[in-house]
Amino acid sequence: MSRRGYTVRIGVLAVVATLAAACGSPGKPVDPAPVGNAAWPQPAHVGGPDSTAGGGTDTSCNPQASLAPSGTSIPDGSTMAKIKERGKLIAGVDQTTYLFGFRNPTSGNIEGFDIDMVNEIARAIFGAPEGRVQFRAIPSSQREDVLTQGQVDIVVRTYSITCARKAKVQFSSVYYKAGQRILVTKESKVTKLADLSGKRVCATKKSTSLAKIATDPAKPVPVSVDNWSDCLVMLQQGQVEAVSTDDTILAGMAAQDPTLQVVGDRFTEENYGIGVPKDNTDMVKYVNAVLDNVRNSGAWQDSYRKWVEPSLGPATPPSPQYQ
C-alpha cells in the first residue's frame, strides 16, 4: 500500500470511530458553567458619603440675603457691557433634569424652568435671547468650579444657596423654593428617610441632598453620582433603594417613569439662586433687577405653569431679601 493510500485509510477509520462513538453510550455529561444574575453596569464615578457636601451645616450668614438691584441699564466697562460686546451670555446649566434643565430629544434644545430664567437675563442684555446664550452643561459638582475659574457668567442649575457656597461665589436673590423629599418605586413601603436605615440612597456629589443623607440619624447609605439622571437609572435597575433630593428634581423623574413616586413631606428647605463669580457684584445687582421684573411681569408664573405646576401644583414666586 502506498503512503497516500495508508493516510486515506487512517482518515476513514477515524471517521468511522467517531460515528460509532456517537451511536454508543453518551457518557457522563459535562456540567455547564454556573449561571448567575449579571450585575447592572453602574454610572461612572459612583462614590460614597460626604458629610460636608453642599456646605449646608454652615449658618454663619443669612443665605437668602443678596445685593439690592440697581436697574437693568448697562454702564460702560461693566460685566454686562463685556458680555454684550462678546455677543453671548455663557451659562452653566443642567441638561439631565427633566422640567428644570433638560435636552429636548425632538428639537435638541435645552429647555426647562431654569433655562427660562437664563433666557430672561439674555433678553435684558441683548433685547432677545435667541442665539445669544451659550449653554454649558455641567454636573452639579462643578457649579462652584466653573464660576471661580471664570468659565461661565452665571450658573442656573437648581443651585441651593448656602453660607459655605457664598464664601466662594455670589448669589442672586432666591428665585425658587424647593424641599428635599424621597423618590421610590410604587411597590416600596418607604415614606420617610428613617425608613431607609442601612439602605442605599442616591444623590449627586457636593449637593446639599447628599449632606443630609450622610448625616441623618437613621444612617442610610449615601451613594453619590455626577448627575441626577444617574440616580434615576440606578433606582430603575434596583442598585439603590431610593433617590433623595429636591422635590422639583424628583417630580421630573416621576414624570418620566410612571412606576416611581415621590413620597413623604419636605424635610429641608432649598432656596435656589443664580450663581455669579465672586468679584462680579455688578452682575449680581443686574440679575436681581431682572428677577424682580420676572416676578412682577408674570414671566415667572408663566414658566412655572408650563414646567412645574402639573407635577407639584400651584405656587407663587418667593419674595426677595436684600442686604
Side-chain angles (χ1 to χ4, degrees):
M1 180 182 296
S2 67
R3 181 175 183 83
R4 174 182 172 84
Y6 178 79
T7 302
V8 171
R9 183 178 179 188
I10 292 297
V12 170
L13 290 174
V15 171
V16 171
T18 301
L19 293 173
C23 296
S25 171
K28 184 178 180 180
V30 177
D31 290 335
V35 177
N37 292 324
W40 287 100
Q42 290 193 7
H45 311 126
V46 175
D50 179 0
S51 61
T52 64
T57 57
D58 186 346
T59 58
S60 62
C61 73
N62 176 4
Q64 297 185 52
S66 185
L67 300 176
S70 57
T72 54
S73 61
I74 300 180
D76 292 341
S78 65
T79 302
M80 296 76 71
K82 293 173 184 175
I83 293 170
K84 191 169 185 177
E85 182 178 359
R86 183 205 298 148
K88 295 276 187 180
L89 173 70
I90 305 174
V93 299
D94 196 358
Q95 65 173 356
T96 65
T97 299
Y98 187 55
L99 304 180
F100 269 73
F102 69 101
R103 191 172 294 279
N104 185 313
T106 302
S107 67
N109 296 329
I110 297 180
E111 301 177 353
F113 184 86
D114 276 352
I115 307 307
D116 286 352
M117 299 300 110
V118 175
N119 287 334
E120 290 298 329
I121 297 169
R123 188 189 310 280
I125 296 173
F126 298 105
E130 288 77 14
R132 294 297 191 175
V133 182
Q134 179 181 329
F135 293 110
R136 176 166 180 179
I138 57 171
S140 60
S141 59
Q142 291 182 7
R143 290 176 294 198
E144 279 94 55
D145 294 341
V146 296
L147 288 168
T148 58
Q149 295 168 15
Q151 297 175 8
V152 298
D153 300 313
I154 55 175
V155 166
V156 190
R157 195 191 187 288
T158 56
Y159 200 3
S160 298
I161 308 171
T162 68
C163 294
R165 287 172 174 168
K166 288 185 80 169
K168 300 175 184 177
V169 302
Q170 297 261 17
F171 279 98
S172 72
S173 59
V174 177
Y175 69 93
Y176 190 91
K177 285 185 177 289
Q180 188 170 351
R181 294 175 68 187
I182 299 168
L183 182 75
V184 292
T185 65
K186 289 184 175 178
E187 298 175 350
S188 174
K189 306 296 185 185
V190 169
T191 60
K192 55 188 180 298
L193 203 55
D195 296 334
L196 290 163
S197 177
K199 305 294 186 182
R200 287 163 59 87
V201 183
C202 190
T204 57
K205 295 182 173 105
K206 296 188 180 181
S207 66
T208 53
S209 305
L210 183 66
K212 174 61 179 172
I213 297 166
T215 58
D216 191 81
K219 297 188 182 303
V221 179
V223 176
S224 61
V225 294
D226 286 335
N227 291 298
W228 290 114
S229 56
D230 296 329
C231 280
L232 174 59
V233 171
M234 293 188 79
L235 178 60
Q236 290 169 327
Q237 295 179 168
Q239 295 173 323
V240 295
E241 189 76 16
V243 178
S244 184
T245 187
D246 305 349
D247 49 6
T248 49
I249 298 171
L250 299 182
M253 295 183 188
Q256 294 175 85
D257 187 340
T259 69
L260 306 178
Q261 63 181 347
V262 182
V263 298
D265 298 326
R266 287 180 173 179
F267 49 87
T268 67
E269 182 179 271
E270 306 296 334
N271 299 293
Y272 292 171
I274 294 172
V276 177
K278 189 73 173 175
D279 294 336
N280 296 353
T281 56
D282 59 346
M283 186 66 176
V284 178
K285 296 176 181 179
Y286 186 84
V287 168
N288 282 340
V290 173
L291 289 177
D292 274 354
N293 291 339
V294 168
R295 295 183 189 99
N296 297 329
S297 68
W300 189 98
Q301 202 70 64
D302 290 344
S303 180
Y304 182 86
R305 287 194 189 103
K306 178 180 180 180
W307 298 112
V308 189
E309 187 172 294
S311 297
L312 295 180
T316 55
S319 299
Q321 296 182 31
Y322 299 121
Q323 296 173 3

